[in-house]
Amino acid sequence: MTELFGQNYAASKGYFEGTHRTRAPEESLADFTRHMPAMGITRIGNVTGLDRIGFPVCVAIRPNARALSTSQGKGRSLAAAKVSALMEAVETWHGERPNGEIRIASHAELKRETAMPPLYDFPVRADAELSETHPLPWINGWDLMTGKPSWLPLETVSNNFVEGGQRPVFLRSTNGLASGNHMLEAVVHALCEVIERDALTMSSLSGGGLAICPRSVPDPDLAMLLEELEAKEVAVFLTDRTVDTRVPTFTCELIDNPESPMWRALPQVDGHGAHLDYSVALSRAVTEAIQARATVISGSRDDLFPQDYRDATSIEHQLRRISERGGAPLVTDWTDAADSFEADLDILLERLHGVGVRHVLICDLSRDEFGIPVVKVVVPGLEPVRTPFYRPGPRARAFLKEAA
């Protein structure tokens, strides 16, 4: 049992095809589609046929979104792809409307009442100025490490990107936003994403990870998918990005081969994945890259710009990248995932504690009228994605100091 928000939770896994869930995607789809009108989700489109790969990819449309108006999904079946897109739309709808207790207070004031992470362990923007006595909006949450209520900066939870007001102090993103069939399923999925983003940033500081030979992947389903990509003349680049958190993390890059008669002018795309089971982590990376191809082809996201497509017509870099292909045999091929989500969560928390993490904060975004578990997880001390507004956190600062 795991305590969250003063309640005990337990959840056994019941579905293991490319992911770990409590139930099959067909069941989730049948259960949750009834909520689409209330969340402004007008349709779920099948965009698989826009690409030649054939792996199922879908898109959920939410025209009046306060963030991106489309949500992408993929899966080994059409039902899995549909529910993947649907759940991403569901979680972003919830993230735009955080409904917890909100309080204006300084970090110093909160520290006098409860255990709080250091202020600059949160993902602070590079252009931000703040202090311990600076009043900020906070939202109530739960600290998985201490087993007690806590507070999170509202800006690290809310995904309402159309609201006005002052320039944000903290990085705002969907990193750590997840939904699920069960509260623990959502928490584990969200925590794996936060760990993934930290691994991507930390590995980029130390050289970018280890290139992997696609033919060395032992998982039979993944090996078949990788062979299909090569047969369709899509060059595959796999990179092991696992760092000291010891949670398998991978990146997959796909490049349409310009020397192929099937070539089309597409930007280089990539996908990432982290999970206690290496095959799930690698599957997420590969299928997310496939999803990214279909997304670029469909042009459906609000954050795709003309320059992205202009860059795709310059084939010199793509040819050079393909000519440099190589890779070592897969090293990170262990599977530590358990049969329950509470056991997975215990393992993840133990590994985070091992690298100095002392707080794992969760904000419950679920709403009674829907009954769909949605959470935002923030882990002070882990590194966010490196964006133009990225400010190195404690792990990156320590690494850069040691490397200097």
Side-chain angles (χ1 to χ4, degrees):
M1 302 290 282
T2 297
E3 185 180 5
L4 297 173
F5 310 102
Q7 298 184 44
N8 289 321
Y9 290 89
S12 298
K13 299 176 181 178
Y15 183 81
F16 298 91
E17 293 186 20
T19 184
H20 290 187
R21 298 290 184 186
T22 58
R23 59 181 178 174
E26 291 81 4
E27 297 177 61
S28 303
L29 191 63
D31 190 4
F32 295 147
T33 50
R34 58 197 167 98
H35 299 302
M36 288 173 56
M39 297 184 197
I41 304 170
T42 57
R43 66 190 184 279
I44 299 175
N46 178 6
V47 295
T48 308
L50 297 180
D51 198 359
R52 65 176 183 270
I53 293 176
F55 191 85
V57 178
C58 289
V59 58
I61 309 299
R62 200 160 52 93
N64 291 323
R66 300 172 185 176
L68 296 177
S69 60
T70 64
S71 299
Q72 285 68 38
K74 74 284 186 188
R76 294 189 178 181
S77 66
L78 183 57
K82 284 182 176 180
V83 78
S84 175
L86 172 62
M87 296 306 282
E88 184 173 294
V90 165
E91 64 200 33
T92 52
W93 185 93
H94 283 76
E96 293 166 358
R97 299 163 174 80
N99 59 339
E101 176 188 352
I102 296 174
R103 175 181 178 183
I104 306 296
S106 69
H107 186 261
E109 183 180 350
L110 294 176
K111 278 203 309 184
R112 290 193 289 268
E113 301 175 8
T114 187
M116 290 289 294
L119 183 59
Y120 277 87
D121 279 7
F122 288 103
V124 180
R125 282 173 57 111
D127 58 354
E129 296 181 7
L130 74 164
S131 69
E132 292 277 334
T133 58
H134 187 149
L136 296 166
W138 301 80
I139 189 168
N140 65 314
W142 184 266
D143 190 336
L144 274 169
M145 288 293 200
T146 66
K148 296 179 181 179
S150 189
W151 295 92
L152 298 79
L154 179 61
E155 289 175 351
T156 66
V157 174
S158 173
N159 296 310
N160 183 355
F161 295 111
V162 299
E163 62 188 0
Q166 297 180 336
R167 185 174 60 194
V169 172
F170 299 96
L171 292 175
R172 304 181 68 172
S173 74
T174 58
N175 184 20
L177 176 66
S179 56
N181 298 288
H182 187 278
M183 177 63 73
L184 288 181
E185 181 183 300
V187 169
V188 168
H189 186 79
L191 186 53
C192 282
E193 183 174 72
V194 178
I195 292 170
E196 169 202 300
R197 305 297 167 78
D198 169 84
L200 296 178
T201 294
M202 292 303 295
S203 67
S204 70
L205 295 175
S206 59
L210 176 67
I212 302 165
C213 175
R215 292 187 177 88
S216 70
V217 175
D219 181 87
D221 292 326
L222 263 177
M224 184 180 300
L225 179 57
L226 293 170
E227 289 173 3
E228 289 177 2
L229 288 168
E230 292 286 357
K232 292 173 181 177
E233 301 193 65
V234 177
V236 179
F237 299 82
L238 302 179
T239 307
D240 188 340
R241 308 290 291 270
T242 309
V243 293
D244 56 350
T245 50
R246 296 186 295 120
V247 177
T249 305
F250 300 95
T251 289
C252 174
E253 298 174 69
L254 300 178
I255 299 178
D256 225 55
N257 188 347
E259 295 182 333
S260 166
M262 295 183 285
W263 178 77
R264 59 196 304 177
L266 293 176
Q268 179 178 317
V269 297
D270 56 23
H272 315 284
H275 197 274
L276 286 170
D277 184 332
Y278 91 92
S279 65
V280 174
L282 195 48
S283 176
R284 285 180 177 172
V286 174
T287 58
E288 186 176 277
I290 294 172
Q291 172 185 287
R293 272 179 60 99
T295 301
V296 168
I297 293 169
S298 68
S300 60
R301 277 178 64 117
D302 309 73
D303 56 351
L304 292 172
F305 303 103
Q307 187 61 45
D308 297 322
Y309 294 93
R310 282 195 292 270
D311 291 344
T313 62
S314 177
I315 66 175
E316 288 80 8
H317 171 73
Q318 297 174 347
L319 285 172
R320 184 170 59 252
R321 184 86 169 90
I322 291 174
S323 70
E324 296 170 351
R325 267 197 299 181
L330 179 66
V331 176
T332 307
D333 59 354
W334 65 80
T335 300
D336 292 335
D339 293 331
S340 70
F341 285 101
E342 63 269 24
D344 276 6
L345 184 56
D346 288 342
I347 295 170
L348 292 171
L349 294 177
E350 178 185 2
R351 294 190 179 173
L352 290 177
H353 191 272
V355 298
V357 171
R358 297 295 177 263
H359 301 273
V360 175
L361 309 180
I362 304 172
C363 184
D364 183 7
L365 301 174
S366 311
R367 290 177 173 258
D368 291 340
E369 61 264 38
F370 303 124
I372 303 175
V374 181
V375 298
K376 182 69 185 289
V377 170
V378 176
V379 183
L382 291 189
E383 296 296 317
V385 176
R386 296 175 72 179
T387 68
F389 297 107
Y390 166 72
R391 178 188 302 219
R395 277 165 57 74
R397 293 196 301 270
F399 176 84
L400 293 171
K401 182 179 179 180
E402 184 177 340

